[in-house]
Amino acid sequence: GQQLNQSPQSMFIQEGEDVSMNCTSSSIFNTWLWYKQDPGEGPVLLIALYKAGELTSNGRLTAQFGITRKDSFLNISASIPSDVGIYFCAGGGSNYKLTFGKGTLLTVNP
Amino acid sequence: GAVVSQHPSWVICKSGTSVKIECRSLDFQATTMFWYRQFPKQSLMLMATSNEGSKATYEQGVEKDKFLINHASLTLSTLTVTSAHPEDSSFYICSARDPGPFARQGRHTQYFGPGTRLTVL
């Protein structure tokens, strides 16, 4: 099925650094969601975006719904070791199905 | 709030047997649940949409007779892998759509279960 273009595929950073990842699509979405998945677990919702241009924060996480409705980014500030994991973006359409990006693997070196 | 559980968390079965996986929304009613499959180091692939009280809708390429889905109540959906074979071994994850206050505007959020690791010998 269709997938979003999520980048980067992986990141290796030092503790305390900021992180940025993004997703782009050729299709318009009316919902953008960001999830984090730990090994052997299901994805956990981090941030939900419902309106074009919306900027939402959740602690050290900030995400924005692109004005064109075809992209979104997620920033993590002052990374810590527990931020390690795979981050997925997902776009939601009118049929309530989600289209997922391929994920960004984040490694944080203490 | 918005907790989704799955049972079992892992299962090992012999080839040719059937396996049932349960997905429950614990603190909200979910008229729509979804079943995904995830291979190692890959993203989630939607298998089917499960609607309470009606037949599931399967994605292209997913065999509906092999992956039986039942959504008998607003809090429970089940996925049965029939006549399982080693190639069916995978991580199966369900999600529930939280109707929430924005659902009518087409805004929706899915909450995921912890996943079920199926190994077919």
Side-chain angles (χ1 to χ4, degrees), chain A residues 30 35 37 42 45 50 96-97 101, chain B residues 38 43 59 103 106 109-110 113-114:
Chain A
N30 54 30
Y35 291 91
Q37 185 177 29
L45 181 66
Y50 299 117
Y96 299 116
K97 294 181 183 179
Chain B
Q38 186 177 35
S43 188
E59 295 300 297
T109 303
Q110 287 185 28

Side-chain angles (χ1 to χ4, degrees), chain A residues 22-104:
Chain A
N22 70 85
C23 276
T24 60
S25 170
S26 58
S27 302
I28 290 175
F29 292 109
N30 54 30
T31 299
W32 279 96
L33 306 170
W34 284 93
Y35 291 91
K36 178 175 182 276
Q37 185 177 29
D38 292 328
E41 301 288 333
V44 174
L45 181 66
L46 299 174
I47 292 181
L49 301 161
Y50 299 117
K51 186 177 180 180
E54 179 181 359
L55 183 70
T56 297
S57 294
N58 177 10
R60 294 179 294 106
L61 278 62
T62 302
Q64 184 160 31
F65 192 141
I67 196 70
T68 65
R69 297 170 63 191
K70 293 183 178 180
D71 63 301
S72 177
F73 72 74
L74 173 70
N75 288 340
I76 304 173
S77 62
S79 58
I80 59 178
S82 62
D83 290 334
V84 166
I86 302 177
Y87 292 78
F88 289 102
C89 63
S94 57
N95 60 7
Y96 299 116
K97 294 181 183 179
L98 292 181
T99 301
F100 280 85
K102 292 187 176 182
T104 295

Side-chain angles (χ1 to χ4, degrees), chain B residues 15-40:
Chain B
S15 185
T17 60
S18 294
V19 174
K20 180 185 285 188
I21 303 170
E22 294 185 348
C23 177
R24 294 181 186 272
S25 56
L26 298 185
D27 51 2
F28 66 100
Q29 293 183 330
T31 56
T32 305
M33 292 184 173
F34 302 88
W35 287 96
Y36 294 82
R37 186 172 181 177
Q38 186 177 35
F39 291 105

